[in-house]
Amino acid sequence: MREWRIGGRRIVAVEQHHEVLLPWAELRRTTGRAARALTLDHHTDVLAAFGRAGGATAEDFARIDAAAVEVAVARLRHDEHLDWALRSGILAESWVLAHENFTVPAHPAMHLLHDPQWPEEAVMLNDSAAYRPFADRVLESAFLRRMLPESLRHGGPDDTPLILDIDLDYFATARSVRPDDSAEFAALARRSALITLSLESDWVRLLRLDGETITGESLLREMIRLLTEVLSGSY
């Protein structure tokens, strides 16, 4: 894990997405409260925990001390961590804004957000020019205002901690991490008790558009730049 403190916010970067469970569990232990997570991702990540490891028992979700979370992370596969976080009480609810939308959530407290105008996967793979205008706007305020419910944009009726969680394969172009209007993203970042970033370097390489040279590391640098801008008061 790599960590930053920017504008009073803790920002943690990991390589594989399910490793965010480590700082998420620490936040739960520190605050004593289950959080609400908003994930920005290419994929939905809503599969059942340990589904590819033979299934789970109640004991698999009974503890969230550091040692237990490390064991869970070692056993979990990609797309299973949100279910584990919900069933273990680390999260109260999970919202995922994703470019895909074909997996049924394993838990009733998972909520999927998907742009009905978003192109099919084949467009991304075969027609970068047609896909690029969609990919470039994923942090723009107009897009986030349209896609996110009011409870996420401005907070719900309670003071449930918010985790802003970003899988960097959400970005398919270098342009996408430099929004013209970052006001909505800034508001989300400022409301967050914790911000987690997962590089998912292999997926970034596989999903970037033709002609793009972005990597997990280059996107991480850009996200730290953007977060410094919106959290340090320079925005």
Side-chain angles (χ1 to χ4, degrees), residues 39-202:
T39 295
L40 309 181
D41 200 341
H42 181 91
H43 309 95
T44 52
D45 289 2
V46 292
L47 297 182
F50 307 122
R52 285 165 286 186
T57 67
E59 292 182 0
D60 291 316
F61 311 96
R63 294 170 48 208
I64 60 167
D65 57 276
V69 178
E70 288 179 3
V71 170
V73 167
R75 291 183 59 211
L76 289 166
R77 299 295 182 265
H78 63 83
D79 298 359
E80 297 180 343
H81 62 283
L82 292 176
D83 185 49
W84 192 89
L86 288 162
R87 293 175 67 178
S88 66
I90 290 173
L91 296 183
E93 62 177 357
S94 166
W95 294 79
V96 182
L97 174 56
H99 306 328
E100 293 183 348
N101 188 33
F102 54 77
T103 307
V104 177
H107 194 286
M110 293 175 180
H111 310 285
L112 294 183
L113 303 166
H114 177 73
D115 184 1
Q117 302 172 22
W118 200 263
E120 296 293 328
E121 196 90 344
V123 176
M124 180 192 71
L125 297 173
N126 302 309
D127 192 350
S128 289
Y131 194 87
R132 187 175 295 276
F134 294 89
D136 282 349
R137 73 186 188 191
V138 293
L139 284 187
E140 295 291 345
S141 289
F143 178 72
L144 294 178
R145 277 196 297 268
R146 180 165 63 84
M147 294 306 304
L148 300 181
E150 197 75 8
S151 63
L152 290 175
R153 291 181 54 229
H154 299 296
D158 56 23
D159 58 349
T160 301
L162 175 67
I163 297 172
L164 177 58
D165 173 51
I166 306 173
D167 184 331
L168 296 183
D169 69 16
Y170 180 71
F171 307 107
T173 69
R175 172 71 178 79
S176 61
V177 233
R178 290 183 171 267
D180 291 327
D181 180 354
S182 57
E184 287 292 333
F185 180 77
L188 286 169
R190 291 170 181 166
R191 284 189 46 243
S192 300
L194 171 68
I195 299 172
T196 51
L197 309 170
S198 54
L199 276 71
E200 289 290 356
S201 300
D202 288 342

